[in-house]
Amino acid sequence: MTIEILSAVPELLTSPFEHSIMKRAQERGLLTIKVHHLRKWAINKHGQIDDYQYGGGAGMLIMCEPLANAIDELQQEGKFDEIIFVTPDGKRFEQKDANTLSLKNRILLICGHYKGIDQRIRDLYVTQEISIGDYVLSGGELAAAVIIDAIGRIIPGVLNDETSALTDSFQDNLLAPPVYSRPVDFRGSEVPAVLLTGDPKKVDAWRQEQALQRTKERRPDLLEKK
Ligand code: 6GU
């Protein structure tokens, strides 16, 4: 899978993909990430990509031409399966969206800045608009990094233990249960005895019950979706 990103601040997008699971996904050839600097498609030699909005109001917008020219040029190599604008006024991103996107071949993420992008780019090019939650970030880059990490880790073959993505929080609308490692006794606080029984049925039942308990307390809204 190839994920491309259009950004006015590409420096924000280097380190998140150079470590851990995202690094391994790229080394295994399962994921290719290409960050494109929007400034490359600036409208003049001053590097201009933004302008004031018609009708007045504070804040600059990213203009039509740099975005349209960038997308047209990138699509000469082949069409994107999805062109996604990351924006706080988009549809909220959830695990099921990551699952669906992880099966695509080539997608483009557009990061807004300032007051966003000209609506005509959204109308003419964008196929999905995604927000990562109900709070405002100063730009789309960190949100794009979150979305790419969520997609990248579930591409088949990326995780070593194939089952582990299936037991993540949210994959079945339940939060993950508590987990323990050595020592059995840490400063007087002990690992729950059931985990030491070696009985996989009992362990599974306990985890299921703990997951349900945690979800009831913290995210009752998830149980309504089941
Ligand atoms: Cl996708 N972008 C920005 N700038 N802020 C956000 C967001 C996206 N999602 C939540 N807050």
Side-chain angles (χ1 to χ4, degrees):
M1 169 175 202
T2 302
I3 303 180
E4 308 197 26
I5 311 155
L6 262 177
S7 165
V9 197
E11 296 81 5
L12 286 171
L13 287 163
T14 45
S15 145
F17 313 122
E18 287 172 1
H19 307 277
S20 180
I21 292 173
M22 290 306 105
K23 180 181 177 188
R24 196 167 71 209
Q26 292 175 87
E27 285 171 352
R28 289 186 180 173
L30 300 167
L31 175 63
T32 303
I33 296 173
K34 294 184 191 168
V35 183
H36 304 284
H37 199 329
L38 192 57
R39 203 74 66 187
K40 190 176 154 195
W41 291 276
I43 61 158
N44 56 33
K45 63 178 191 302
H46 309 294
Q48 187 180 355
I49 54 172
D50 57 342
D51 208 344
Y52 297 100
Q53 54 179 311
Y54 282 116
M60 311 279 275
L61 302 189
I62 299 185
M63 306 168 74
C64 287
E65 285 93 342
L67 284 167
N69 291 337
I71 299 168
D72 289 346
E73 187 177 324
L74 296 175
Q75 293 214 103
Q76 279 172 10
E77 282 178 36
K79 289 269 180 223
F80 290 107
D81 298 314
E82 298 286 346
I83 298 179
I84 299 168
F85 177 44
V86 288
T87 174
D89 55 21
K91 188 170 165 288
R92 190 159 63 204
F93 186 64
E94 295 184 355
Q95 186 62 50
K96 66 172 163 42
D97 304 306
N99 295 349
T100 308
L101 288 172
S102 74
L103 302 173
K104 306 276 181 188
N105 185 45
R106 182 172 182 235
I107 64 178
L108 176 69
L109 298 185
I110 301 171
C111 301
H113 248 265
Y114 321 106
K115 280 284 159 190
I117 68 175
D118 191 296
Q119 180 61 36
R120 289 166 290 184
I121 294 298
R122 299 168 74 156
D123 297 340
L124 295 171
Y125 286 94
V126 169
T127 61
Q128 283 187 37
E129 305 195 325
I130 297 180
S131 163
I132 63 163
D134 291 342
Y135 40 82
V136 178
L137 304 171
S138 40
E141 284 76 10
L142 296 182
V146 166
I147 293 164
I148 292 167
D149 190 291
I151 295 171
R153 64 190 293 285
I154 52 176
I155 294 172
V158 170
L159 293 183
N160 274 334
D161 178 354
E162 283 291 353
T163 62
S164 86
L166 299 175
T167 57
D168 285 342
S169 282
F170 303 113
Q171 279 295 13
D172 51 6
N173 278 331
L174 281 180
L175 301 183
V179 289
Y180 298 84
S181 183
R182 290 191 297 175
V184 166
D185 183 319
F186 176 68
R187 299 180 185 172
S189 178
E190 290 189 9
V191 174
V194 60
L195 297 179
L196 308 174
T197 58
D199 181 338
K201 273 199 186 130
K202 279 189 187 159
V203 169
D204 272 358
W206 182 84
R207 286 182 173 153
Q208 188 67 24
E209 172 215 308
Q210 291 288 314
L212 191 58
Q213 196 53 40
R214 206 175 241 193
T215 310
K216 271 186 194 158
E217 280 169 26
R218 301 178 181 180
R219 293 293 307 279
D221 57 300
L222 292 178
L223 296 173
E224 278 152 33
K225 287 194 197 171
K226 282 175 85 74

